[in-house]
Each structure stands twice: as structure tokens, then as C-alpha cells.
């Protein structure tokens, strides 16, 4: 009788899309099993609370098995158990549906677009309390806020994180938010972002914050309504970011942007961005300061961009297109080396420059090789608009489609033209 009562009390895995599967899945994760493989559900799994995965553990779902956050759960879908101690964690497969219209809406508010071509960023302002907590947390350092921020997945302080072969569907804010990762792999992720909560903004794909080193992010598909990949050394958690390879971004329709790098005081170093394809309505790649004091200077070192085949496009009902240059370098940055190789822009929408360097930015060495712009508009598009300082400009096999190589009020030191 004791055994029977124990079995009856064991949480049951339903997979019927109605009853809560959280207790059964979490019990499997807490069992100490190295691999937790969920069977194909009858319909879909429903979870009412955040799943917590442990060190030396793998959670596996079939590629298109759906797992949905229950209505009014207002929480993450999954996180790791012990930040700064966990290691060797893997989440593989599944369609992770945050069910965003049935959660509290995006807690961050951005102002409406009132300018056609702002060459600066506006701060979110309507939820001042949350944003103040966010900024204060950044000053403290190592852990995310323990409040609802609309993220689908959140990982912190892991050596050896792997995310692969999964879909993230309509998060409220970011699909994946992570910090303090070392030796990580994020690959074969599909972003199914078709609606916003309430609008199509703030919806990053993979958003990495301070303390991330030695990682590969590759083969990302779908459309995001903020940066597909963001490496932000000075956001909600400060910390240097280094030695990251981003390889393969495939925007399957109009997408906000491919990659954003952010620093206003903490270095972002040794970043490789390659194989970017698609149409982007904000910028394709943004190298930004976005924050800090006017005297602060963002630090970027050894940034290499290779194989970009993309163009600007019109925006969404919530965010207009044509607001930022294709390769956007914001003012207030110091970049020791920026290499752009095999980049092709064929433009039929935006008149903004191919490359833009903002006020008070310094690029010690900028190398452009096999970079080409094809203009399908009726009037000129600037190739490189420089409002900052380029210490040395190396150019080889560059085609500007009939416009001057460099325009703008900035200065160029040495030039090596071939």
C-alpha cells in the first residue's frame, strides 16, 4: 500500500496542452538524471513555473515538440539552478512558446519614433522604476534582477552551456538572455517572432551581457524585432566580453538587425561576425555606445566582419525602416581595429550610408577589402560617412557605385588605397 500511494503521488506528465506539466518535468530535472528526454506530447507540454536545470544535465525535446508557458505565469520558461557554479548544461530541441499575449506585457517602454533619421538612441522612459532597478543592478555586477522582465530563457554563470536545435516563439522581450558564460555554444536556433506584447520592439534573439568569453553562436534563422544577436558589455550586467564567433544569421523576412555590439566603458574584444544574409529595417550591424556619461568612451578591439550579403528594408507597423546606416558606428567609441571583408549591399530602399562613423569616435585602423555597394535608387547613397577620426584606412577592391569613397566632417590619417 505504501508503494501504491507513493506512485499515485508522483507528478504525471500529461502533454495534453491543458494540464500543468511543470511538476513532472521539474521532478525529472531534480532527480539528478544526466539526460532528461521528454517523450513526444499528445499535443503540447504546458508549464506554469520556471523550469530549473542543473549542472551536468541535458534536457532534450524532439525538434518540433511544443512546450508552452501557461496563461498568467509571468515568468521565465527556463533558467539554470546555481549561477556562477553551474557547468555543462544543455537544452536541445523543442518549440519554446512563451504564450506572450497571455503574460504581462513588455515591462520596458520605448518612446514613439518622432524623427525620421535619428543618429542617436532614446532611452526607455515610461517604466522608470524597472529601468532604474535595471541600471542599479548593472552597477552591482553579477546577477539578474529577480523580477519579471519578459525574457523566455535566462542563463547566468555557466561554464559549458549548449543551446541547440530549438525554436523560440514570441517572447515578451528577449528570447535568450545570458551573462557570465564561458566555453558556450548556441546553434541552430529558429526565432518565430510574429507578434509583439504589445508591440514589435525589444525582441532580441540572443542577448549576451557582461562576462561572456570563448563562445560560438551560429546558424540563427527567422526574424527578430530587435537585435538577432546582441553582445552588450554595459547593459543590465557589466563585464568584458571577448573571443566570440558569430557565424550564420539568416533573416527570412524583414528583421530589425543582425548584430549589435555595445560598450560605453567596458571592452568588447576579439569578435568575429560572418555569413550574414537578409533584409534589415534598422541597421545590419551596429557598433554602439548607448549609455554612460558624455565623457565615457566605449571600447571595441579586434572586430572582424566577413561575408555580409544584405540590404535595408521597410519596417513594421511599430518601427519604421531607414533610420540607421547599414553598418552603424555610433559616436563616442574607440575601436583599435575594424576589418570588413566581402560585404555586399544591394540597396533599393534606404539612402543612408553603407558605413557611418559618428561624432567623437576613433577607429585606429579600418580595413575594407572586397566591399561593394549597388545602388538601385534614383539618387546617390554615400559609401562611408565619417564624422569621427580614422587613423589609418586600408582599402582594397572596393566599389562605391560612383560616389566618393569618404564624405563627412571627420578626418582620415594615413590611407592605403589599392
Amino acid at each position: 500500500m505504501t508503494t501504491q500511494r507513493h506512485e499515485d503521488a508522483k507528478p504525471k506528465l500529461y502533454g495534453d496542452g491543458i494540464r500543468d506539466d511543470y511538476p513532472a518535468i521539474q521532478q525529472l530535472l531534480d532527480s539528478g538524471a544526466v539526460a532528461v528526454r521528454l517523450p513526444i506530447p499528445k499535443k503540447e507540454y504546458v508549464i506554469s513555473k520556471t523550469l530549473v536545470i542543473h549542472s551536468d544535465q541535458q534536457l532534450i525535446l524532439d525538434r518540433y515538440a511544443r512546450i508552452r508557458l501557461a496563461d498568467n505565469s509571468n515568468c521565465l520558461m527556463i533558467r539554470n539552478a546555481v549561477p556562477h557554479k553551474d557547468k555543462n548544461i544543455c537544452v536541445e530541441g523543442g518549440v519554446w512558446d512563451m504564450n506572450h499575449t497571455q503574460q504581462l506585457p513588455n515591462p520596458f517602454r520605448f518612446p514613439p519614433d518622432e524623427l525620421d533619421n535619428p543618429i542617436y538612441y532614446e532611452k526607455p522612459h515610461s517604466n522608470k522604476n524597472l529601468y532604474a532597478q535595471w541600471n542599479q543592478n548593472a552597477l552591482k555586477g553579477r546577477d539578474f534582477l529577480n523580477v519579471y522582465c519578459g525574457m523566455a530563457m535566462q542563463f547566468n554563470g555557466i561554464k559549458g552551456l549548449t543551446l541547440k536545435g530549438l525554436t523560440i516563439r514570441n517572447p515578451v522581450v528577449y528570447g535568450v538572455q545570458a551573462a557570465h558564460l564561458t566555453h558556450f555554444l548556441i546553434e541552430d536556433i529558429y526565432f518565430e517572432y510574429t507578434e509583439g506584447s504589445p508591440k514589435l520592439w525589444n525582441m532580441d534573439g540572443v542577448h549576451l551581457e557582461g562576462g561572456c568569453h570563448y563562445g560560438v553562436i551560429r546558424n540563427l534563422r527567422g526574424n527578430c524585432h530587435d537585435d538577432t544577436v546582441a553582445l552588450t558589455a554595459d547593459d543590465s550586467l557589466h563585464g568584458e566580453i571577448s573571443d566570440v564567433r558569430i557565424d550564420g544569421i539568416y533573416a527570412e523576412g524583414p528583421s530589425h538587425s543582425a548584430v549589435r555590439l555595445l560598450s560605453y566603458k567596458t571592452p568588447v574584444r576579439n569578435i568575429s561576425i560572418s555569413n550574414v544574409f537578409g533584409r534589415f529595417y534598422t541597421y545590419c550591424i551596429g557598433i554602439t555606445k548607448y549609455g554612460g556619461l558624455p565623457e565615457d568612451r566605449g571600447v571595441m578591439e579586434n572586430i572582424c566582419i566577413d561575408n555580409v550579403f544584405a540590404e535595408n528594408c521597410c519596417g513594421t507597423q511599430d518601427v519604421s525602416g531607414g533610420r540607421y546606416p547599414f553598418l552603424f558606428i555610433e559616436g563616442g567609441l574607440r575601436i583599435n581595429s575594424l576589418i570588413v571583408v566581402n560585404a555586399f549591399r544591394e540597396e533599393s530602399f534606404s539612402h543612408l550610408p553603407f558605413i557611418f562613423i559618428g561624432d567623437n569616435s576613433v577607429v585606429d585602423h579600418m580595413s575594407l577589402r572586397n566591399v561593394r555597394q549597388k545602388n538601385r535608387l534614383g539618387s546617390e547613397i554615400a559609401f562611408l560617412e565619417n564624422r569621427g577620426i580614422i587613423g589609418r584606412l586600408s582599402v582594397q577592391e572596393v566599389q562605391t557605385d560612383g560616389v566618393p569613397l569618404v564624405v563627412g566632417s571627420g578626418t582620415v590619417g594615413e590611407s592605403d588605397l589599392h
Side-chain angles (χ1 to χ4, degrees):
M1 292 297 292
T2 302
T3 302
Q4 183 63 47
R5 283 198 301 270
H6 176 75
E7 290 176 353
D8 291 343
K10 183 178 179 180
K12 184 176 180 181
L13 197 61
Y14 298 104
D16 59 10
I18 300 172
R19 289 172 286 188
D20 189 3
D21 294 297
Y22 165 79
I25 298 173
Q26 190 59 55
Q27 185 180 75
L28 291 170
L29 291 169
D30 292 342
S31 71
V34 172
V36 173
R37 179 182 290 275
L38 301 183
I40 298 174
K42 297 174 185 177
K43 182 179 179 182
E44 63 183 358
Y45 295 112
V46 176
I47 57 173
S48 62
K49 296 180 181 179
T50 302
L51 295 174
V52 177
I53 189 168
H54 304 275
S55 279
D56 300 312
Q57 193 167 62
Q58 183 178 24
L59 175 60
I60 308 167
L61 290 84
D62 284 86
R63 181 65 179 84
Y64 299 108
R66 190 176 296 271
I67 181 167
R68 177 173 57 87
L69 189 63
D71 294 1
N72 302 312
S73 296
N74 304 315
C75 63
L76 299 162
M77 295 191 74
I78 189 168
R79 66 172 176 85
N80 61 298
V82 187
H84 313 295
K85 292 184 179 180
D86 282 331
K87 60 184 177 65
N88 304 329
I89 287 175
C90 177
V91 179
E92 179 177 355
V95 176
W96 294 76
D97 183 353
M98 196 172 179
N99 188 23
H100 66 305
T101 60
Q102 302 304 313
Q103 314 301 330
L104 288 173
N106 181 352
F108 301 97
R109 295 288 186 268
F110 279 73
D113 298 312
E114 297 176 351
L115 301 176
D116 290 333
N117 296 302
I119 306 299
Y120 59 92
Y121 289 90
E122 293 283 359
K123 287 284 192 182
H125 63 81
S126 65
N127 194 331
K128 294 181 179 178
N129 290 335
L130 179 59
Y131 201 71
Q133 290 179 62
W134 185 282
N135 282 337
Q136 186 61 35
N137 197 57
L139 299 176
K140 293 179 181 178
R142 293 175 61 80
D143 294 305
F144 290 115
L145 289 174
N146 187 26
V147 297
Y148 171 73
C149 290
M151 318 306 179
M153 297 182 169
Q154 190 179 82
F155 302 98
N156 188 18
I158 303 172
K159 182 176 182 180
L161 172 70
T162 299
L163 304 178
K164 63 180 181 180
L166 56 86
T167 296
I168 300 175
R169 185 175 190 275
N170 286 338
V172 175
V173 185
Y174 308 152
V176 177
Q177 181 186 37
H180 301 289
L181 304 180
T182 56
H183 304 103
F184 60 92
L185 173 64
I186 301 172
E187 66 175 350
D188 296 330
I189 310 296
Y190 187 82
F191 301 107
E192 188 181 351
Y193 292 7
T194 59
E195 300 175 314
S197 180
K199 295 186 177 183
L200 292 169
W201 52 28
N202 278 86
M203 299 173 72
D204 283 10
V206 176
H207 183 104
L208 299 190
E209 307 208 16
C212 292
H213 308 281
Y214 312 121
V216 175
I217 303 169
R218 65 188 177 205
N219 296 336
L220 309 182
R221 298 179 295 120
N223 302 311
C224 295
H225 297 291
D226 210 321
D227 305 298
T228 305
V229 176
L231 307 183
T232 62
D234 292 306
D235 200 0
S236 71
L237 296 180
H238 289 300
E240 184 174 315
I241 297 175
S242 71
D243 305 289
V244 178
R245 178 183 177 187
I246 302 166
D247 185 2
I249 292 177
Y250 305 86
E252 297 184 350
S255 193
H256 178 282
S257 50
V259 178
R260 177 188 187 184
L261 310 180
L262 182 153
S263 164
Y264 66 75
K265 64 179 180 180
T266 309
V268 176
R269 295 190 170 113
N270 306 332
I271 308 299
S272 170
I273 302 166
S274 59
N275 298 316
V276 176
F277 306 88
R279 301 166 61 230
F280 302 96
Y281 56 81
T282 302
Y283 43 74
C284 178
I285 296 172
I287 303 176
T288 69
K289 179 171 180 265
Y290 188 65
L293 300 173
E295 60 268 26
D296 289 332
R297 183 171 290 274
V299 179
M300 304 280 175
E301 297 182 3
N302 305 326
I303 310 300
C304 182
I305 300 168
D306 183 18
N307 285 353
V308 176
F309 304 83
E311 60 183 305
N312 290 113
C313 66
C314 61
T316 67
Q317 69 270 24
D318 300 318
V319 179
S320 62
R323 299 182 303 149
Y324 295 94
F326 188 82
L327 172 53
F328 173 52
I329 302 169
E330 195 177 7
L333 293 167
R334 183 63 181 256
I335 306 172
N336 75 333
S337 175
L338 175 62
I339 299 172
V340 183
V341 182
N342 301 327
F344 302 87
R345 176 199 189 191
E346 185 167 337
E347 191 56 59
S348 57
F349 175 76
S350 173
H351 284 91
L352 292 174
F354 191 166
I355 303 170
F356 174 87
I357 301 174
D359 296 336
N360 198 32
S361 273
V362 177
V363 182
D364 293 333
H365 181 207
M366 185 173 194
S367 176
L368 308 176
R369 179 163 58 87
N370 198 22
V371 178
R372 306 184 183 200
Q373 175 168 269
K374 182 66 176 178
N375 182 0
R376 297 196 176 278
L377 295 169
S379 55
E380 288 187 352
I381 304 174
F383 181 78
L384 168 54
E385 181 178 345
N386 176 31
R387 299 185 185 179
I389 299 172
I390 302 174
R392 180 183 177 190
L393 178 62
S394 301
V395 177
Q396 184 176 357
E397 297 293 331
V398 170
Q399 293 185 6
T400 66
D401 209 12
V403 300
L405 178 66
V406 184
V407 298
S409 58
T411 62
V412 179
E414 300 179 40
S415 295
D416 183 10
L417 308 180
H418 294 281

